[in-house]
Amino acid sequence: MFSKACEYAIRATIYIARQSMEGLRASLADISREIDSPIAFTSKILQQLVKAEIIYSTRGQTGGFYIESAMMESITIAGIVTAIDGDAIYTDCGLGLKECSGAEPCPVHEKFAEIRESLKNVLESTNIASLASGLKNGVTCLKR
Amino acid sequence: MFSKACEYAIRATIYIARQSMEGLRASLADISREIDSPIAFTSKILQQLVKAEIIYSTRGQTGGFYIESAMMESITIAGIVTAIDGDAIYTDCGLGLKECSGAEPCPVHEKFAEIRESLKNVLESTNIASLASGLKNGVTCLKR
DNA sequence: ATTTATTCGGATATTTTTGTCCGATTAAAA
DNA sequence: TTTTAATCGGACAAAAATATCCGAATAAAT
Ligand code: SF4
Ligand code: SF4
């Protein structure tokens, strides 16, 4: 459904959120250990999230990644997915066609549209705050 | 959502179904022209569909691909997807985790499960007969 | 000032997916 | 029986996604 990069992005963001809720910054090393992801690849993905202003970073000793507590509610899974994978999942035809959407819909068009709509709905209505706080045993769940 | 291979497979199957409904066999050349797909790659995919017994083929002159008319109703998009992409889309966790499903569900688990369920439902309830006959201007829609 | 611990960014490597080539096989037509 | 038109199957090639390496930049601690 999502790319690997996007999956790591979601998990990393959840972990960073949990740390930020306790006033801690998360280092790349911590993140990649806790979400069990390849460290260098994760680094690239975190940089994308920083550019998208979903997370923030500071360099140097005691640096790391964090999330503004004011933003916890407004960062949604949808936002992360869009930042990493783009909006193809919400807009693309399930059959990979480019130019027929709408005009002469095939029998699946409406059904696909429904699915995409409900998917979009779920991803947009699930924010990082609820994800991070909902995970009682969050760290273990983010691994493997 | 689906791999390219899977998209081609769905489109090819729809085209073959349309031809079979008129008693015609579809050649690889025809199929790849009508669904606008790379011919040699399409060949591999058709072979997979033949092995999965979703479509049938005969070699030699006047050969080609066809679908048993008795099976038109029972061939679903779900069946094609499973044959080409496997069942990951129905079973995999949206966050790419392996070992947490069920036990200690995270806040999105139930929502993801819902989406997967409705997706599965749509794909299983849409058969090739309805797809092929529903496309009035089918060929054009399968292109591009 | 130097050391240390961190993110950043460019180049490179590996793996997977997508796509190509071509000869072997098959079966009908000539 | 030979030619022709088709699928089959294995090896190969290209592109995209995933992953690694390493030096530069940054900032705190020593
Ligand atoms: S009509 Fe069917 S094939 Fe065309 S864009 Fe919609 S779902 Fe895709
Ligand atoms: S609980 Fe959450 S992370 Fe775990 S399998 Fe379910 S959706 Fe995925």
PDB file of all heavy atoms in Angstrom, chain A residues 91-113 116, chain B residues 11 14 131 135 141-142, ligand 1:
ATOM      1  N   THR A  91      -5.359   9.581  -5.879  1.00  0.00           N
ATOM      2  CA  THR A  91      -5.863  10.062  -7.162  1.00  0.00           C
ATOM      3  C   THR A  91      -5.776   9.047  -8.300  1.00  0.00           C
ATOM      4  O   THR A  91      -6.572   9.091  -9.228  1.00  0.00           O
ATOM      5  CB  THR A  91      -5.065  11.300  -7.610  1.00  0.00           C
ATOM      6  OG1 THR A  91      -3.693  10.934  -7.725  1.00  0.00           O
ATOM      7  CG2 THR A  91      -5.177  12.424  -6.584  1.00  0.00           C
ATOM      8  N   ASP A  92      -4.808   8.140  -8.231  1.00  0.00           N
ATOM      9  CA  ASP A  92      -4.572   7.267  -9.378  1.00  0.00           C
ATOM     10  C   ASP A  92      -5.652   6.209  -9.570  1.00  0.00           C
ATOM     11  O   ASP A  92      -6.201   5.676  -8.611  1.00  0.00           O
ATOM     12  CB  ASP A  92      -3.209   6.590  -9.251  1.00  0.00           C
ATOM     13  CG  ASP A  92      -2.086   7.487  -9.723  1.00  0.00           C
ATOM     14  OD1 ASP A  92      -2.336   8.697  -9.857  1.00  0.00           O
ATOM     15  OD2 ASP A  92      -0.979   6.984  -9.945  1.00  0.00           O
ATOM     16  N   CYS A  93      -5.880   5.916 -10.835  1.00  0.00           N
ATOM     17  CA  CYS A  93      -6.791   4.850 -11.202  1.00  0.00           C
ATOM     18  C   CYS A  93      -6.187   3.503 -10.816  1.00  0.00           C
ATOM     19  O   CYS A  93      -5.001   3.266 -11.016  1.00  0.00           O
ATOM     20  CB  CYS A  93      -7.015   4.882 -12.713  1.00  0.00           C
ATOM     21  SG  CYS A  93      -7.638   3.349 -13.407  1.00  0.00           S
ATOM     22  N   GLY A  94      -7.010   2.628 -10.279  1.00  0.00           N
ATOM     23  CA  GLY A  94      -6.540   1.315  -9.855  1.00  0.00           C
ATOM     24  C   GLY A  94      -6.037   0.466 -11.000  1.00  0.00           C
ATOM     25  O   GLY A  94      -5.276  -0.471 -10.807  1.00  0.00           O
ATOM     26  N   LEU A  95      -6.454   0.816 -12.210  1.00  0.00           N
ATOM     27  CA  LEU A  95      -6.016   0.030 -13.358  1.00  0.00           C
ATOM     28  C   LEU A  95      -4.855   0.691 -14.088  1.00  0.00           C
ATOM     29  O   LEU A  95      -4.439   0.235 -15.138  1.00  0.00           O
ATOM     30  CB  LEU A  95      -7.180  -0.183 -14.322  1.00  0.00           C
ATOM     31  CG  LEU A  95      -8.441  -0.793 -13.710  1.00  0.00           C
ATOM     32  CD1 LEU A  95      -9.463  -1.083 -14.791  1.00  0.00           C
ATOM     33  CD2 LEU A  95      -8.111  -2.065 -12.947  1.00  0.00           C
ATOM     34  N   GLY A  96      -4.337   1.753 -13.530  1.00  0.00           N
ATOM     35  CA  GLY A  96      -3.160   2.380 -14.109  1.00  0.00           C
ATOM     36  C   GLY A  96      -3.426   3.196 -15.352  1.00  0.00           C
ATOM     37  O   GLY A  96      -2.516   3.488 -16.109  1.00  0.00           O
ATOM     38  N   LEU A  97      -4.674   3.576 -15.564  1.00  0.00           N
ATOM     39  CA  LEU A  97      -4.995   4.372 -16.746  1.00  0.00           C
ATOM     40  C   LEU A  97      -4.908   5.852 -16.426  1.00  0.00           C
ATOM     41  O   LEU A  97      -5.082   6.263 -15.292  1.00  0.00           O
ATOM     42  CB  LEU A  97      -6.392   4.022 -17.246  1.00  0.00           C
ATOM     43  CG  LEU A  97      -6.590   2.532 -17.532  1.00  0.00           C
ATOM     44  CD1 LEU A  97      -8.004   2.267 -17.955  1.00  0.00           C
ATOM     45  CD2 LEU A  97      -5.608   2.062 -18.586  1.00  0.00           C
ATOM     46  N   LYS A  98      -4.624   6.637 -17.463  1.00  0.00           N
ATOM     47  CA  LYS A  98      -4.377   8.053 -17.222  1.00  0.00           C
ATOM     48  C   LYS A  98      -5.568   8.925 -17.596  1.00  0.00           C
ATOM     49  O   LYS A  98      -5.885   9.885 -16.932  1.00  0.00           O
ATOM     50  CB  LYS A  98      -3.168   8.524 -18.061  1.00  0.00           C
ATOM     51  CG  LYS A  98      -1.882   7.800 -17.754  1.00  0.00           C
ATOM     52  CD  LYS A  98      -1.289   8.215 -16.430  1.00  0.00           C
ATOM     53  CE  LYS A  98      -0.048   7.387 -16.122  1.00  0.00           C
ATOM     54  NZ  LYS A  98       0.307   7.398 -14.712  1.00  0.00           N
ATOM     55  N   GLU A  99      -6.177   8.612 -18.732  1.00  0.00           N
ATOM     56  CA  GLU A  99      -7.052   9.617 -19.327  1.00  0.00           C
ATOM     57  C   GLU A  99      -8.526   9.245 -19.401  1.00  0.00           C
ATOM     58  O   GLU A  99      -9.261   9.800 -20.188  1.00  0.00           O
ATOM     59  CB  GLU A  99      -6.555   9.926 -20.731  1.00  0.00           C
ATOM     60  CG  GLU A  99      -5.110  10.367 -20.743  1.00  0.00           C
ATOM     61  CD  GLU A  99      -4.654  10.769 -22.136  1.00  0.00           C
ATOM     62  OE1 GLU A  99      -5.491  10.894 -23.025  1.00  0.00           O
ATOM     63  OE2 GLU A  99      -3.438  10.960 -22.308  1.00  0.00           O
ATOM     64  N   CYS A 100      -8.969   8.288 -18.608  1.00  0.00           N
ATOM     65  CA  CYS A 100     -10.377   7.936 -18.759  1.00  0.00           C
ATOM     66  C   CYS A 100     -11.195   8.289 -17.531  1.00  0.00           C
ATOM     67  O   CYS A 100     -12.411   8.242 -17.556  1.00  0.00           O
ATOM     68  CB  CYS A 100     -10.548   6.458 -19.097  1.00  0.00           C
ATOM     69  SG  CYS A 100     -10.360   5.345 -17.720  1.00  0.00           S
ATOM     70  N   SER A 101     -10.526   8.680 -16.462  1.00  0.00           N
ATOM     71  CA  SER A 101     -11.223   8.965 -15.204  1.00  0.00           C
ATOM     72  C   SER A 101     -12.377   9.935 -15.406  1.00  0.00           C
ATOM     73  O   SER A 101     -12.185  11.017 -15.922  1.00  0.00           O
ATOM     74  CB  SER A 101     -10.250   9.551 -14.185  1.00  0.00           C
ATOM     75  OG  SER A 101      -8.958   9.064 -14.395  1.00  0.00           O
ATOM     76  N   GLY A 102     -13.542   9.511 -15.015  1.00  0.00           N
ATOM     77  CA  GLY A 102     -14.673  10.420 -15.080  1.00  0.00           C
ATOM     78  C   GLY A 102     -15.462  10.330 -16.369  1.00  0.00           C
ATOM     79  O   GLY A 102     -16.605   9.892 -16.378  1.00  0.00           O
ATOM     80  N   ALA A 103     -14.844  10.707 -17.456  1.00  0.00           N
ATOM     81  CA  ALA A 103     -15.527  10.792 -18.743  1.00  0.00           C
ATOM     82  C   ALA A 103     -16.415   9.584 -19.037  1.00  0.00           C
ATOM     83  O   ALA A 103     -17.637   9.699 -19.105  1.00  0.00           O
ATOM     84  CB  ALA A 103     -14.501  10.987 -19.857  1.00  0.00           C
ATOM     85  N   GLU A 104     -15.767   8.427 -19.199  1.00  0.00           N
ATOM     86  CA  GLU A 104     -16.515   7.213 -19.470  1.00  0.00           C
ATOM     87  C   GLU A 104     -16.135   6.172 -18.440  1.00  0.00           C
ATOM     88  O   GLU A 104     -15.386   5.257 -18.738  1.00  0.00           O
ATOM     89  CB  GLU A 104     -16.131   6.663 -20.845  1.00  0.00           C
ATOM     90  CG  GLU A 104     -16.930   7.191 -21.988  1.00  0.00           C
ATOM     91  CD  GLU A 104     -16.550   6.452 -23.259  1.00  0.00           C
ATOM     92  OE1 GLU A 104     -15.402   6.592 -23.705  1.00  0.00           O
ATOM     93  OE2 GLU A 104     -17.380   5.696 -23.770  1.00  0.00           O
ATOM     94  N   PRO A 105     -16.614   6.307 -17.242  1.00  0.00           N
ATOM     95  CA  PRO A 105     -16.135   5.443 -16.157  1.00  0.00           C
ATOM     96  C   PRO A 105     -16.438   3.982 -16.410  1.00  0.00           C
ATOM     97  O   PRO A 105     -17.502   3.637 -16.908  1.00  0.00           O
ATOM     98  CB  PRO A 105     -16.902   5.954 -14.942  1.00  0.00           C
ATOM     99  CG  PRO A 105     -18.111   6.615 -15.492  1.00  0.00           C
ATOM    100  CD  PRO A 105     -17.696   7.192 -16.800  1.00  0.00           C
ATOM    101  N   CYS A 106     -15.471   3.139 -16.069  1.00  0.00           N
ATOM    102  CA  CYS A 106     -15.706   1.711 -16.162  1.00  0.00           C
ATOM    103  C   CYS A 106     -16.419   1.267 -14.884  1.00  0.00           C
ATOM    104  O   CYS A 106     -16.517   2.036 -13.929  1.00  0.00           O
ATOM    105  CB  CYS A 106     -14.377   0.961 -16.339  1.00  0.00           C
ATOM    106  SG  CYS A 106     -13.468   0.717 -14.806  1.00  0.00           S
ATOM    107  N   PRO A 107     -16.929   0.035 -14.859  1.00  0.00           N
ATOM    108  CA  PRO A 107     -17.721  -0.426 -13.714  1.00  0.00           C
ATOM    109  C   PRO A 107     -17.015  -0.326 -12.363  1.00  0.00           C
ATOM    110  O   PRO A 107     -17.674  -0.247 -11.330  1.00  0.00           O
ATOM    111  CB  PRO A 107     -17.997  -1.884 -14.058  1.00  0.00           C
ATOM    112  CG  PRO A 107     -17.926  -1.953 -15.540  1.00  0.00           C
ATOM    113  CD  PRO A 107     -16.875  -0.961 -15.926  1.00  0.00           C
ATOM    114  N   VAL A 108     -15.703  -0.359 -12.353  1.00  0.00           N
ATOM    115  CA  VAL A 108     -15.008  -0.293 -11.068  1.00  0.00           C
ATOM    116  C   VAL A 108     -14.724   1.124 -10.606  1.00  0.00           C
ATOM    117  O   VAL A 108     -14.380   1.341  -9.451  1.00  0.00           O
ATOM    118  CB  VAL A 108     -13.666  -1.069 -11.070  1.00  0.00           C
ATOM    119  CG1 VAL A 108     -13.901  -2.537 -10.877  1.00  0.00           C
ATOM    120  CG2 VAL A 108     -12.864  -0.761 -12.296  1.00  0.00           C
ATOM    121  N   HIS A 109     -14.893   2.062 -11.524  1.00  0.00           N
ATOM    122  CA  HIS A 109     -14.482   3.430 -11.206  1.00  0.00           C
ATOM    123  C   HIS A 109     -15.075   3.924  -9.890  1.00  0.00           C
ATOM    124  O   HIS A 109     -14.355   4.388  -9.007  1.00  0.00           O
ATOM    125  CB  HIS A 109     -14.861   4.384 -12.332  1.00  0.00           C
ATOM    126  CG  HIS A 109     -14.315   5.762 -12.146  1.00  0.00           C
ATOM    127  ND1 HIS A 109     -13.031   6.107 -12.491  1.00  0.00           N
ATOM    128  CD2 HIS A 109     -14.860   6.883 -11.612  1.00  0.00           C
ATOM    129  CE1 HIS A 109     -12.817   7.366 -12.196  1.00  0.00           C
ATOM    130  NE2 HIS A 109     -13.922   7.871 -11.655  1.00  0.00           N
ATOM    131  N   GLU A 110     -16.380   3.815  -9.773  1.00  0.00           N
ATOM    132  CA  GLU A 110     -17.048   4.332  -8.582  1.00  0.00           C
ATOM    133  C   GLU A 110     -16.596   3.580  -7.337  1.00  0.00           C
ATOM    134  O   GLU A 110     -16.385   4.164  -6.283  1.00  0.00           O
ATOM    135  CB  GLU A 110     -18.557   4.225  -8.757  1.00  0.00           C
ATOM    136  CG  GLU A 110     -19.323   5.276  -7.981  1.00  0.00           C
ATOM    137  CD  GLU A 110     -20.778   5.305  -8.378  1.00  0.00           C
ATOM    138  OE1 GLU A 110     -21.083   4.996  -9.551  1.00  0.00           O
ATOM    139  OE2 GLU A 110     -21.611   5.616  -7.513  1.00  0.00           O
ATOM    140  N   LYS A 111     -16.428   2.291  -7.482  1.00  0.00           N
ATOM    141  CA  LYS A 111     -16.003   1.473  -6.343  1.00  0.00           C
ATOM    142  C   LYS A 111     -14.593   1.840  -5.895  1.00  0.00           C
ATOM    143  O   LYS A 111     -14.327   1.975  -4.708  1.00  0.00           O
ATOM    144  CB  LYS A 111     -16.093  -0.006  -6.686  1.00  0.00           C
ATOM    145  CG  LYS A 111     -17.526  -0.499  -6.829  1.00  0.00           C
ATOM    146  CD  LYS A 111     -17.583  -1.965  -7.217  1.00  0.00           C
ATOM    147  CE  LYS A 111     -19.029  -2.453  -7.228  1.00  0.00           C
ATOM    148  NZ  LYS A 111     -19.111  -3.909  -7.502  1.00  0.00           N
ATOM    149  N   PHE A 112     -13.710   2.006  -6.866  1.00  0.00           N
ATOM    150  CA  PHE A 112     -12.358   2.428  -6.537  1.00  0.00           C
ATOM    151  C   PHE A 112     -12.397   3.789  -5.851  1.00  0.00           C
ATOM    152  O   PHE A 112     -11.696   4.026  -4.858  1.00  0.00           O
ATOM    153  CB  PHE A 112     -11.478   2.504  -7.787  1.00  0.00           C
ATOM    154  CG  PHE A 112     -10.786   1.216  -8.118  1.00  0.00           C
ATOM    155  CD1 PHE A 112     -10.572   0.851  -9.439  1.00  0.00           C
ATOM    156  CD2 PHE A 112     -10.337   0.367  -7.127  1.00  0.00           C
ATOM    157  CE1 PHE A 112      -9.931  -0.335  -9.754  1.00  0.00           C
ATOM    158  CE2 PHE A 112      -9.698  -0.831  -7.433  1.00  0.00           C
ATOM    159  CZ  PHE A 112      -9.502  -1.176  -8.754  1.00  0.00           C
ATOM    160  N   ALA A 113     -13.200   4.677  -6.389  1.00  0.00           N
ATOM    161  CA  ALA A 113     -13.304   6.021  -5.831  1.00  0.00           C
ATOM    162  C   ALA A 113     -13.758   5.964  -4.372  1.00  0.00           C
ATOM    163  O   ALA A 113     -13.234   6.682  -3.521  1.00  0.00           O
ATOM    164  CB  ALA A 113     -14.272   6.859  -6.667  1.00  0.00           C
ATOM    165  N   ARG A 116     -10.823   4.716  -2.213  1.00  0.00           N
ATOM    166  CA  ARG A 116      -9.852   5.796  -2.039  1.00  0.00           C
ATOM    167  C   ARG A 116     -10.370   6.834  -1.058  1.00  0.00           C
ATOM    168  O   ARG A 116      -9.634   7.342  -0.212  1.00  0.00           O
ATOM    169  CB  ARG A 116      -9.561   6.473  -3.389  1.00  0.00           C
ATOM    170  CG  ARG A 116      -8.629   5.689  -4.271  1.00  0.00           C
ATOM    171  CD  ARG A 116      -8.072   6.595  -5.353  1.00  0.00           C
ATOM    172  NE  ARG A 116      -9.135   7.323  -6.025  1.00  0.00           N
ATOM    173  CZ  ARG A 116      -9.487   7.160  -7.291  1.00  0.00           C
ATOM    174  NH1 ARG A 116      -8.855   6.286  -8.020  1.00  0.00           N
ATOM    175  NH2 ARG A 116     -10.450   7.875  -7.815  1.00  0.00           N
TER     176      ARG A 116
ATOM    177  N   ARG B  11      -6.053  -5.302 -17.068  1.00  0.00           N
ATOM    178  CA  ARG B  11      -6.496  -4.757 -18.344  1.00  0.00           C
ATOM    179  C   ARG B  11      -6.494  -5.818 -19.438  1.00  0.00           C
ATOM    180  O   ARG B  11      -7.434  -5.908 -20.236  1.00  0.00           O
ATOM    181  CB  ARG B  11      -5.612  -3.577 -18.749  1.00  0.00           C
ATOM    182  CG  ARG B  11      -5.911  -2.338 -17.911  1.00  0.00           C
ATOM    183  CD  ARG B  11      -5.317  -1.123 -18.550  1.00  0.00           C
ATOM    184  NE  ARG B  11      -4.006  -0.796 -18.007  1.00  0.00           N
ATOM    185  CZ  ARG B  11      -3.096  -0.063 -18.639  1.00  0.00           C
ATOM    186  NH1 ARG B  11      -3.341   0.388 -19.847  1.00  0.00           N
ATOM    187  NH2 ARG B  11      -1.952   0.218 -18.052  1.00  0.00           N
ATOM    188  N   ILE B  14      -9.421  -8.151 -19.078  1.00  0.00           N
ATOM    189  CA  ILE B  14     -10.665  -7.540 -19.553  1.00  0.00           C
ATOM    190  C   ILE B  14     -10.740  -7.599 -21.080  1.00  0.00           C
ATOM    191  O   ILE B  14     -11.758  -7.994 -21.647  1.00  0.00           O
ATOM    192  CB  ILE B  14     -10.785  -6.073 -19.078  1.00  0.00           C
ATOM    193  CG1 ILE B  14     -10.918  -6.009 -17.544  1.00  0.00           C
ATOM    194  CG2 ILE B  14     -11.984  -5.393 -19.737  1.00  0.00           C
ATOM    195  CD1 ILE B  14     -10.865  -4.596 -16.970  1.00  0.00           C
ATOM    196  N   LEU B 131     -17.217  -6.451 -15.902  1.00  0.00           N
ATOM    197  CA  LEU B 131     -16.231  -5.466 -16.354  1.00  0.00           C
ATOM    198  C   LEU B 131     -16.215  -5.365 -17.870  1.00  0.00           C
ATOM    199  O   LEU B 131     -16.288  -4.280 -18.438  1.00  0.00           O
ATOM    200  CB  LEU B 131     -14.835  -5.849 -15.875  1.00  0.00           C
ATOM    201  CG  LEU B 131     -14.440  -5.372 -14.490  1.00  0.00           C
ATOM    202  CD1 LEU B 131     -13.079  -5.927 -14.126  1.00  0.00           C
ATOM    203  CD2 LEU B 131     -14.412  -3.857 -14.471  1.00  0.00           C
ATOM    204  N   LEU B 135     -18.019  -2.087 -20.258  1.00  0.00           N
ATOM    205  CA  LEU B 135     -17.243  -1.130 -21.039  1.00  0.00           C
ATOM    206  C   LEU B 135     -17.826  -1.006 -22.438  1.00  0.00           C
ATOM    207  O   LEU B 135     -17.474  -1.764 -23.326  1.00  0.00           O
ATOM    208  CB  LEU B 135     -15.793  -1.602 -21.167  1.00  0.00           C
ATOM    209  CG  LEU B 135     -14.883  -1.511 -19.947  1.00  0.00           C
ATOM    210  CD1 LEU B 135     -13.643  -2.353 -20.202  1.00  0.00           C
ATOM    211  CD2 LEU B 135     -14.504  -0.081 -19.695  1.00  0.00           C
ATOM    212  N   CYS B 141     -10.978   2.797 -23.491  1.00  0.00           N
ATOM    213  CA  CYS B 141     -10.759   3.004 -22.069  1.00  0.00           C
ATOM    214  C   CYS B 141      -9.563   2.218 -21.554  1.00  0.00           C
ATOM    215  O   CYS B 141      -8.935   2.620 -20.600  1.00  0.00           O
ATOM    216  CB  CYS B 141     -11.995   2.642 -21.263  1.00  0.00           C
ATOM    217  SG  CYS B 141     -11.848   3.004 -19.507  1.00  0.00           S
ATOM    218  N   LEU B 142      -9.249   1.125 -22.205  1.00  0.00           N
ATOM    219  CA  LEU B 142      -8.139   0.307 -21.723  1.00  0.00           C
ATOM    220  C   LEU B 142      -6.789   0.860 -22.164  1.00  0.00           C
ATOM    221  O   LEU B 142      -5.743   0.456 -21.674  1.00  0.00           O
ATOM    222  CB  LEU B 142      -8.290  -1.138 -22.204  1.00  0.00           C
ATOM    223  CG  LEU B 142      -9.437  -1.912 -21.557  1.00  0.00           C
ATOM    224  CD1 LEU B 142      -9.555  -3.297 -22.170  1.00  0.00           C
ATOM    225  CD2 LEU B 142      -9.249  -2.013 -20.059  1.00  0.00           C
TER     226      LEU B 142
HETATM  227  S1  SF4 E   1     -13.109   4.411 -15.371  1.00  0.00           S
HETATM  228 FE1  SF4 E   1     -12.108   2.548 -14.560  1.00  0.00          FE
HETATM  229  S2  SF4 E   1     -10.235   2.433 -15.733  1.00  0.00           S
HETATM  230 FE2  SF4 E   1     -10.977   4.534 -15.993  1.00  0.00          FE
HETATM  231  S3  SF4 E   1     -10.011   5.769 -14.373  1.00  0.00           S
HETATM  232 FE3  SF4 E   1     -11.943   5.016 -13.535  1.00  0.00          FE
HETATM  233  S4  SF4 E   1     -11.432   3.093 -12.502  1.00  0.00           S
HETATM  234 FE4  SF4 E   1      -9.734   3.568 -13.856  1.00  0.00          FE
END
